[in-house]
Amino acid sequence: RHRHKEKWAATAPRIPSTRLALHHFDTSYSLHLGALWPSVRAGLLCEQKYGALLNNFAAADHVPEELELLNATDFISEALQKSSGQRGAAVGEVATGCQEGSGEGRTGMQAEMVAQTEMSSPLCTSISSKIKCYTFPRGDITRFRPARPDGLGLLDYYLMDAASLLPVLALDVQPDDFVLDLCAAPGGKTLALLQTGFCGHLAANDVSISRTKRLYQILHSYVPKEVRDTVSVTSYDGRDWDQVKGGTFHKVLVDVPCTTDRHSAMEEDNNIFHRRRTKERQMLPMLQLQLLMAGILAARPGGAVVYSTCSLSPLQNECVVERALDVARAQFNISLHPEDLSHFRTLFQDTFSFFSECQLGELVLPHLTANFGPMYFCKLRRA
């Protein structure tokens, strides 16, 4: 009987990983987010909202009209149009003031105000209008239909968390840029980078062979062969990338492994809060720092690096970036300039819920009416 009890005890169900994750989040994020945490927590535990990234390579001209009939809109072009309209109105108001003013001094001051107003929306000139992603309005929980193939078998759109596009937009890929996606699988951001039409060459790397297979599947389902041929897919340990091709890329995306907060709170499968993965989870900030440093070393002088996670944790977000700035300066004599991305908050406030107190970079918070994210992203310019 004693042995029987021991056996029963050994096979008794353990505390679910999702419950461990939520306990951890309640302890740490309630301190970090304060009064916002109950709302963010509710969002994490509800169905995620998706966006439909339009596939520019597919013959699917009817898709935008189809989506618009469902009341979905391309959140990027809509934000740019609104920003452009507001800027135009502001310039008009200043110009009217110019006409009403008198004397050269007055006109010169007004002209300076016009110039400042025209410069107040940097994203209008730095965002790729070729990336189109349709989302439903705030509070609308309509689901998109599954993607369909065109005549050549290329799928018409890719369903993803729309907030995942923000790091790609922040990277600001320009024509003929050499681009590195250091932790590329499963492939959503890689696909988005290709949608810009600007990558002179794209290196897509992921250490996991199984995840790299998923990346290949995405490329074959969405990208024609002549474009796939411009992409090199590898499975190096990203931490060693600078030993392969250091200092060669104009733009580097470092979308690191993290606690994937939404998945950890909802799914038992492959949950990093499983008791067997405690050490792995505790080592995440170190891994993230090593990957970010490899990305920094892979960028050429003057190049840009965007670091991103799908976690709310400041230990995995701002703290990693701050440590990388120190290590780059002290160990490699590399000076990095964190770029101000607050205009993202202004531009996309109708689509996403942002954390206004993020000290370095930007953070999208899950919210019941706009249930995207979490998504943290920070841009560093190498001197």
Side-chain angles (χ1 to χ4, degrees), residues 121-165:
S121 186
L123 252 184
C124 285
T125 54
S126 69
I127 244 182
S128 173
S129 59
K130 292 189 177 183
I131 296 181
K132 300 186 184 303
C133 183
Y134 282 79
T135 57
F136 291 105
R138 276 181 176 265
D140 187 335
I141 56 172
T142 305
R143 295 180 182 179
F144 290 97
R145 63 159 174 79
R148 294 173 186 154
D150 67 359
L152 297 174
L154 296 177
L155 296 176
D156 53 7
Y157 56 63
Y158 180 77
L159 295 179
M160 65 190 300
D161 184 332
S164 296
L165 284 177

Side-chain angles (χ1 to χ4, degrees), residues 7-206:
K7 185 178 179 184
W8 177 85
T11 56
R14 294 182 180 272
I15 300 172
S17 302
T18 48
R19 194 186 302 174
L20 292 173
L22 265 180
H23 175 72
H24 176 83
F25 296 159
D26 283 333
T27 304
S28 55
Y29 296 162
S30 58
L31 294 173
H32 178 50
L33 299 175
L36 293 172
W37 171 236
S39 167
V40 174
R41 188 185 197 273
L44 274 180
L45 293 174
C46 288
E47 186 175 350
Q48 183 177 17
K49 197 165 181 176
Y50 283 88
L53 173 65
L54 216 60
N55 185 13
N56 295 326
F57 303 116
D61 296 339
H62 64 285
V63 173
E65 184 180 354
E66 176 193 332
L67 295 176
E68 284 161 15
L69 285 172
L70 296 171
N71 202 30
T73 55
D74 171 17
F75 82 88
I76 300 168
S77 64
E78 190 177 56
L80 291 174
Q81 286 168 13
K82 188 177 291 186
S83 174
S84 182
Q86 289 170 349
R87 185 176 54 165
V91 171
E93 286 174 18
V94 174
T96 302
C98 267
Q99 292 169 2
E100 293 172 353
S102 60
E104 288 184 13
R106 173 81 175 190
T107 306
M109 182 179 70
Q110 296 286 4
E112 187 179 340
M113 289 173 67
V114 170
Q116 288 176 348
T117 307
E118 287 178 335
M119 291 173 65
S120 66
S121 186
L123 252 184
C124 285
T125 54
S126 69
I127 244 182
S128 173
S129 59
K130 292 189 177 183
I131 296 181
K132 300 186 184 303
C133 183
Y134 282 79
T135 57
F136 291 105
R138 276 181 176 265
D140 187 335
I141 56 172
T142 305
R143 295 180 182 179
F144 290 97
R145 63 159 174 79
R148 294 173 186 154
D150 67 359
L152 297 174
L154 296 177
L155 296 176
D156 53 7
Y157 56 63
Y158 180 77
L159 295 179
M160 65 190 300
D161 184 332
S164 296
L165 284 177
L166 297 179
V168 175
L169 295 175
L171 204 57
D172 185 24
V173 179
Q174 295 298 305
D176 301 321
D177 272 353
F178 272 50
V179 182
L180 169 62
D181 189 352
L182 190 62
C183 310
K189 293 182 181 68
T190 308
L191 181 60
L193 286 166
L194 290 172
Q195 298 301 317
T196 65
F198 287 158
C199 298
H201 176 75
L202 175 59
N205 179 74
D206 199 279

Side-chain angles (χ1 to χ4, degrees), residues 338-358:
E339 293 199 2
D340 180 12
L341 298 176
S342 59
H343 46 278
F344 271 75
R345 221 184 308 154
T346 306
L347 195 56
F348 298 119
Q349 61 185 344
D350 291 343
T351 304
F352 305 109
S353 176
F354 286 91
F355 182 44
S356 60
E357 295 176 36
C358 203

